[in-house]
Amino acid sequence: MKRLLCCGLLLGAASPALAAEIESFENGLKPWRIRPAGVARLETETVHEGGKALRFSLEERGKARLPLEENDWSKYEAISFWAYSPRASEAVLGLGLDSENPASDGWVYFYLPFPVNWSGWKHFVIPKSRFKASRNPSWEQIKSLFFSTADWPFYRLEAGMYVIFDDIRLLTAEEVDALKP
């Protein structure tokens, strides 16, 4: 599988000031739609920023979806987040973005297989160009972000595995360039 672009940042380094925050989890999981209920929960022990994060189980099929207020992603270059894995594994989940296109029939979205092949905290910066498209989605019409082990044949479950997500942001091209060594 292709590797995702990953940027290692120094702990304590400031986040880009202009980045658009998607989710910090500090207000809990109220806006999230989680199916089945146990596939994701609020994490308060292993967090990267603040006091809360999202723990997503890789032991069962499920989805955690966040409806978005910032729908126009055309001015951004990448999505950024911190993710924690207790160990490197063979597990794979999907990262998806629901979109809208009245000219298309069926579910319209961007997606990306997300292998869990690392351990500890890791900062991911994923350019929009890495996402695959289904039914002509639009970066101007992003309706929700979701993590899933239920929608695609590439996902792989693994007993005892989970990923913790924290500090999800959108980055402009300038902010992505500033992260490069």
Side-chain angles (χ1 to χ4, degrees):
M1 276 189 196
K2 291 183 180 177
R3 296 185 62 158
L4 301 175
L5 173 64
C6 176
C7 297
L9 298 179
L10 297 174
L11 292 177
S15 296
L18 300 175
E21 179 179 284
I22 295 176
E23 180 65 273
S24 68
F25 303 101
E26 295 312 302
N27 294 319
L29 298 180
K30 188 173 183 177
W32 286 81
R33 297 180 189 143
I34 299 169
R35 302 282 184 268
V39 77
R41 66 177 173 82
L42 196 62
E43 174 67 35
T44 58
E45 292 181 24
T46 305
V47 298
H48 189 269
E49 292 283 330
K52 299 174 186 170
L54 174 77
R55 180 176 171 144
F56 188 84
S57 173
L58 299 174
E59 294 187 82
E60 64 179 311
R61 289 178 51 132
K63 184 185 291 186
R65 178 187 309 274
L66 175 66
L68 297 171
E69 292 180 19
E70 175 67 44
N71 299 121
D72 184 358
W73 287 27
S74 62
K75 61 186 172 227
Y76 298 103
E77 181 68 23
I79 185 170
S80 162
F81 54 85
W82 285 91
Y84 174 87
S85 171
R87 67 180 186 277
S89 77
E90 298 293 317
V92 179
L93 69 144
L95 170 59
L97 303 166
D98 286 316
S99 183
E100 206 171 86
N101 183 342
S104 293
D105 291 331
W107 185 22
V108 181
Y109 58 94
F110 292 100
Y111 70 99
L112 180 72
F114 191 76
V116 185
N117 55 8
W118 79 95
S119 65
W121 282 106
K122 189 170 181 179
H123 185 226
F124 290 91
V125 175
I126 305 171
K128 292 187 311 187
S129 62
R130 291 296 312 272
F131 283 87
K132 298 174 184 177
S134 175
R135 294 179 193 85
N136 201 24
S138 167
W139 289 110
E140 291 84 19
Q141 295 290 321
I142 302 299
K143 300 299 182 189
S144 67
L145 171 144
F146 61 93
F147 302 107
S148 179
T149 53
D151 295 309
W152 302 292
F154 61 72
Y155 75 84
R156 222 174 286 142
L157 302 175
E158 188 172 319
M161 278 303 296
Y162 59 88
V163 176
I164 297 171
F165 294 98
D166 204 355
D167 195 29
I168 305 171
R169 299 176 176 272
L170 291 173
L171 302 177
T172 63
E174 294 79 23
E175 292 163 330
V176 171
D177 288 343
L179 294 173
K180 294 177 183 174

